[in-house]
Amino acid sequence: MVTDPHAALRGLLTGRLRGHERRLRRFTERDWRRYGDLLAGALLVAVRRRFVAGQDRAPVIRFVASARERYDAGGHDVDPVLAEALVWAALGERPPVPDSAAAVVARTVLLLGLLEDEGLTDSERDEILAAAAQAVDASARSASAQNASTSTQDAERHGEREKDRQHAGPGPNSRGNTVAGSAVESADGEGDGQRGMGAAT
């Protein structure tokens, strides 16, 4: 499938840049979200193969500098502070970095650097992408289940409130609200009638 985000990311990581760029140009908004999630997931897997939480900061700083030197020749596309933050976030050492165009570029550069340093085969790169896809899908299922649970709880609370109101009977303002509603409807009807007569005149 031409717009498959998984295939697009695989094309990038295996050096098939022409096919990767062609797929990106045909992405829908949904494809971009999926691609960004897969990219973040693949970076998380790759970072945790190379680094560990709580380790010294110097190796991370050196790696980021090396990746920028190789893939950001002008030195303007990747903010080193952002890139280091992405690594530490993948290790759980800091909060997640918000999605942005700059974050996507930094993730791409970091992931390419990590995979090149490890000298992974295409098969091993596919394993990283598969692990990333599984993590993304599991996260989506968890979020969906949580949303469904929240909706069910809201519905149950709403039902309980309705029962309480039915047992309590009509409130002191219920008749006033009904009369007010009838008055508004009547006024609208009269206004329509007047407008109609005016038009006929």
Side-chain angles (χ1 to χ4, degrees), residues 48-70:
R48 293 182 178 181
R49 288 170 62 104
R50 172 80 170 267
F51 304 108
V52 295
Q55 73 165 66
D56 185 67
R57 304 184 68 84
V60 172
I61 294 173
R62 287 196 295 269
F63 162 69
V64 168
S66 172
R68 292 180 68 236
E69 183 178 356
R70 284 176 283 171

Side-chain angles (χ1 to χ4, degrees), residues 119-180:
L120 300 181
T121 64
D122 285 354
S123 177
E124 289 170 326
R125 294 176 187 226
D126 283 341
E127 290 176 2
I128 289 179
L129 287 178
Q134 290 175 359
V136 170
D137 291 341
S139 177
R141 286 193 298 269
S142 176
S144 178
Q146 185 175 3
N147 290 338
S149 176
T150 300
S151 297
T152 300
Q153 292 173 0
D154 289 344
E156 290 175 348
R157 285 194 292 268
H158 178 73
E160 291 172 356
R161 288 195 297 269
E162 287 297 322
K163 289 180 181 178
D164 291 341
R165 279 197 289 269
Q166 290 173 4
H167 289 313
N173 294 326
S174 60
R175 177 171 174 77
N177 291 336
T178 301
V179 173

